[in-house]
Amino acid sequence: MSSLASGCKILILLQVIFGQCLTDPPSFTVDYQNDCFRKDGEKFRYISGSIHYSRIPRVYWKDRLLKMYMAGLNTIQTYVPWNFHEAVQGNYVFSGDRDIGHFLHLARQVGLLVILRPGPYICAEWDMGGLPAWLLKNKNIVLRSSDPDYTAAVDTWMGKFLPMMKPYLYQNGGPIIMVQVENEYGSYFACDYNHMRHLSSLFRTHLGDEVVLFTTDGAGLGFLKCGTIQGLYTTVDFGAGSNVSAAFAVQRHAEPQGPLVNSEYYTGWLDHWGSRHAVVSTAAVVKTLSEMLALGANVNMYMFIGGTNFGYWNGANSPFSPQPTSYDYDAPLTEAGDLTEKYFAIREVIRMYRKIPDGPIPPSTPKYAYGPVKMSQLQTVAEALDILSYSGSVKSMYPQTFVDLNQSFGYMLYRTTLPFDCNAPTPLSSPLNGVHDRAYVSVDGVAVGVLERDKALTINVTGKKGSEVDLLVENMGRINYGKYINDFKGLVSNMTLGKDVLSGWTIFSLSVDEAVSQGLLGETKSGDGQNPSKFSLPAFYRGTFTIPKDIPDLPQDSYVKLPQWRKGQIWINGFNLGRYWPSKGPQVTLFVPASILSTVAPNNVTVLELENSPCSSGLCTVEFTTTPILNATALPHFAPHRKLFRKLDV
């Protein structure tokens, strides 16, 4: 009997133990004593890659995630751009390409954990670092600080967004293991500890006490001074060729114990218009990656796939230097999600430290050259004002900015008249550098040139008193890094003619995307008034092409280039592909995802050429090709804005 009783006790004990194991909730924690993370109680090291859902069409999310998984990654990292989801205050969008819930679901389905970086500021070479432009309605707002208006807006946004994320936390059965608070705050001038404490409390309130919250800053002690606070795990970022021991020693200054983490290990770098395409050698990337993994460090590769700044989403650096449409980043997966030598080299390094999944790697997507498409001119911007500015114009003594007229992106037209005869060339100037960012100037319907922020502040004009002066102002992307992210757009200060301040403006807020997508633009009523040698009036052009039905597997991805076009914007079937500027470089082609193309109807191509089209010379085409061109810099003397991987303390 004693033996039977003893056996029953053992059976009951086993049932209790295994019952507890079966009911223990998932957990992800920091183990300070053993310098590691623990997932469900087991020692865990993440090898991660950055992917931005906002830069990749929804239909390709799973393809890119599968390629990342098959490279040996067990985790991905993604930013959440606030302005991508709340471009208009109070209007939240989480559908289509903005459906982050679906993106997280796919990551979990593929077998990837997620590191979420919801900001509210994210940098990311994204317009205004992800902050919505409507914050600037308060002209004196101090962004990324305890400013009451900024805090109230952040609280409202996070009160909407973070509760949506709570079910996706790992301890709740989802893929999110860590959440970053703010982003590289040690690189920002405000150094507002109360702001960081408030964000920490806000995140805890909405996400709970169990989630691992962390910060990321450059690997320098100066960055940690303002970037770290108690209760948020400190991580650092640095690129290939760095002194790994020295960089992690900086992290150890803030975190004497706990896992080593490089939250942004740069596999490439960002580009600027007019600079050379950034390239980081595969050999350098894999060497430093192996050094970090050999130390047992956790690594996130920024970027693993860069993607595309579709539409107007690119950011800029200061002094003002905007980023191009492509965010290829020289990453292991190209802008189009294609496999590279760097991808396979990284995969071999990871294989040394963890098992690579079995099975085939999804191939690079096929590309198709749809060939040249003949374009014909539609209306000039001035001719189409009734269509483009359907809400009507605004009269103002002096210029108003984009946000004054509740416009965030795109273009705005400012119109005034010459107050006196300008028989001799007279300087039209922005003495306070107030053209943000480029103004295409015409007098009485004749294009005369371009004013440009930081570069061209004066242009000579002639005309009679009362002549109509138009300035079509382009917002080229807001500054996303540093102290100047309060980046107002439009004419942000007065214009002068000679010594006189110009007044009496009529301002047109332009809804270009709506007019293009609805097919409202018509043919031009007259000649375009162009000066063939230099500039023509900003004008729209349209062409169509048909994809053959008898060729299987079409449509396929493509690239479009605009030979001899100067600068502008391009749409296909109403989808805003982004900006082109081949005369500047380094980007020449724009990525065309197959998802925006049609095989059942003609495909419409619309171009807004801002400076001078090639159509007067007879070559009036755009061309679809299979090969990207991202490194055709037209100005070899141009010095890149920032050195590779350099984080400035601003």
Side-chain angles (χ1 to χ4, degrees), residues 375-412:
M375 307 294 289
S376 58
Q377 185 176 333
L378 302 176
Q379 294 165 294
T380 65
V381 170
E383 289 175 333
L385 281 180
D386 288 345
I387 297 169
L388 299 173
S389 185
Y390 56 81
S391 59
S393 61
V394 172
K395 304 285 188 181
S396 177
M397 181 66 70
Y398 300 110
Q400 297 189 40
T401 67
F402 273 49
V403 291
D404 289 335
L405 272 63
N406 296 314
Q407 181 170 336
S408 294
F409 304 104
Y411 307 86
M412 189 175 287

Side-chain angles (χ1 to χ4, degrees), residues 332-464:
L333 292 173
T334 71
E335 176 183 14
D338 293 345
L339 306 168
T340 66
E341 173 194 356
K342 190 176 287 186
Y343 174 94
F344 290 103
I346 287 172
R347 190 171 189 259
E348 290 307 306
V349 171
I350 294 174
R351 189 192 298 274
M352 296 164 55
Y353 298 95
R354 70 181 302 263
K355 186 180 184 303
I356 297 292
D358 296 325
I361 301 171
S364 298
T365 56
K367 309 297 185 294
Y368 193 83
Y370 300 103
V373 175
K374 182 173 176 53
M375 307 294 289
S376 58
Q377 185 176 333
L378 302 176
Q379 294 165 294
T380 65
V381 170
E383 289 175 333
L385 281 180
D386 288 345
I387 297 169
L388 299 173
S389 185
Y390 56 81
S391 59
S393 61
V394 172
K395 304 285 188 181
S396 177
M397 181 66 70
Y398 300 110
Q400 297 189 40
T401 67
F402 273 49
V403 291
D404 289 335
L405 272 63
N406 296 314
Q407 181 170 336
S408 294
F409 304 104
Y411 307 86
M412 189 175 287
L413 189 135
Y414 295 78
R415 176 171 288 171
T416 188
T417 57
L418 296 181
F420 51 82
D421 288 340
C422 299
N423 296 320
T426 306
L428 173 67
S429 302
S430 175
L432 298 180
N433 194 22
V435 174
H436 287 196
D437 301 303
R438 277 170 68 90
Y440 307 91
V441 183
S442 63
V443 178
D444 279 342
V446 177
V448 295
V450 177
L451 295 170
E452 184 171 359
R453 181 176 181 174
D454 293 343
K455 293 180 174 66
L457 308 187
T458 298
I459 188 172
N460 287 327
V461 299
T462 58
K464 299 296 184 182

Side-chain angles (χ1 to χ4, degrees), residues 324-338:
T325 300
S326 172
Y327 196 64
D328 179 84
Y329 213 84
D330 193 34
L333 292 173
T334 71
E335 176 183 14
D338 293 345

Side-chain angles (χ1 to χ4, degrees), residues 25-326:
S27 64
F28 188 86
T29 59
V30 176
D31 182 345
Y32 289 95
Q33 184 174 353
N34 294 291
D35 296 335
C36 68
F37 291 113
R38 291 201 175 270
K39 184 167 77 75
D40 301 329
E42 299 294 325
K43 187 175 181 179
F44 177 80
R45 187 251 293 273
Y46 69 73
I47 303 176
S48 173
S50 286
I51 173 175
H52 298 160
Y53 63 93
S54 56
R55 286 181 160 124
I56 298 170
R58 174 187 174 121
V59 295
Y60 280 138
W61 287 349
K62 189 168 186 178
D63 172 81
R64 306 324 190 232
L65 291 170
L66 278 170
K67 288 170 179 170
M68 297 175 79
Y69 176 77
M70 293 305 297
L73 305 184
N74 56 15
T75 308
I76 61 164
Q77 186 190 87
T78 195
Y79 276 131
V80 180
W82 177 3
N83 56 9
F84 195 58
H85 297 284
E86 196 187 0
V88 177
Q89 188 173 10
N91 182 21
Y92 303 104
V93 183
F94 293 99
S95 58
D97 289 344
R98 292 165 170 79
D99 190 350
I100 184 175
H102 180 63
F103 178 79
L104 295 172
H105 170 75
L106 288 176
R108 185 175 185 275
Q109 185 182 78
V110 167
L112 291 163
L113 299 169
V114 175
I115 299 167
L116 193 70
R117 309 175 81 183
Y121 164 83
I122 62 170
C123 184
E125 291 74 62
W126 188 266
D127 185 84
M128 208 163 139
L131 300 178
W134 50 260
L135 290 170
L136 301 178
K137 289 179 181 178
N138 173 357
K139 296 186 185 301
N140 298 314
I141 194 170
V142 182
L143 302 172
R144 304 177 68 192
S145 78
S146 297
D147 180 292
D149 286 348
Y150 180 70
T151 300
V154 168
D155 288 354
T156 300
W157 161 243
M158 289 300 178
K160 172 70 175 181
F161 179 72
L162 291 179
M164 294 173 57
M165 294 297 99
K166 191 169 184 178
Y168 294 97
L169 298 178
Y170 185 75
Q171 54 266 35
N172 295 331
I176 299 174
I177 55 172
M178 299 172 66
V179 178
Q180 181 178 301
V181 177
E182 239 280 345
N183 185 66
E184 296 181 332
Y185 195 66
S187 299
Y188 193 57
F189 76 96
C191 197
D192 187 338
Y193 293 111
N194 287 333
H195 172 58
M196 288 297 289
R197 292 189 189 101
H198 176 77
L199 288 180
S200 177
S201 175
L202 183 67
F203 279 49
R204 286 286 176 216
T205 298
H206 291 299
L207 299 178
D209 295 329
E210 294 182 357
V211 64
V212 175
L213 300 180
F214 73 102
T215 61
T216 300
D217 282 287
L221 293 177
F223 298 118
L224 299 191
K225 177 183 176 182
C226 297
T228 63
I229 63 167
Q230 188 174 1
L232 306 180
Y233 192 75
T234 300
T235 74
V236 293
D237 52 37
F238 55 91
S242 299
N243 184 322
V244 173
S245 297
F248 282 135
V250 172
Q251 185 194 359
R252 280 286 176 247
H253 182 81
E255 300 288 358
Q257 293 181 292
L260 297 174
V261 179
N262 185 345
S263 287
E264 287 189 7
Y265 174 57
Y266 305 112
T267 62
W269 198 242
L270 58 131
D271 286 341
H272 298 98
W273 288 117
S275 71
R276 294 179 178 86
H277 176 52
V279 175
V280 178
S281 75
T282 296
V285 170
V286 297
K287 181 177 183 295
T288 305
L289 175 62
S290 187
E291 290 176 17
M292 291 186 291
L293 295 180
L295 290 174
N298 299 262
V299 180
N300 173 71
M301 285 168 271
Y302 188 104
M303 298 291 299
F304 206 87
I305 174 172
T308 307
N309 296 314
F310 293 116
Y312 310 111
W313 288 115
N314 67 277
N317 281 303
S318 180
F320 189 73
S321 186
Q323 291 111 24
T325 300
S326 172

Side-chain angles (χ1 to χ4, degrees), residues 612-630:
N612 199 356
S613 80
C615 296
S616 60
S617 64
L619 180 66
C620 193
T621 62
V622 302
E623 183 179 350
F624 290 85
T625 179
T626 59
T627 306
I629 305 173
L630 301 177

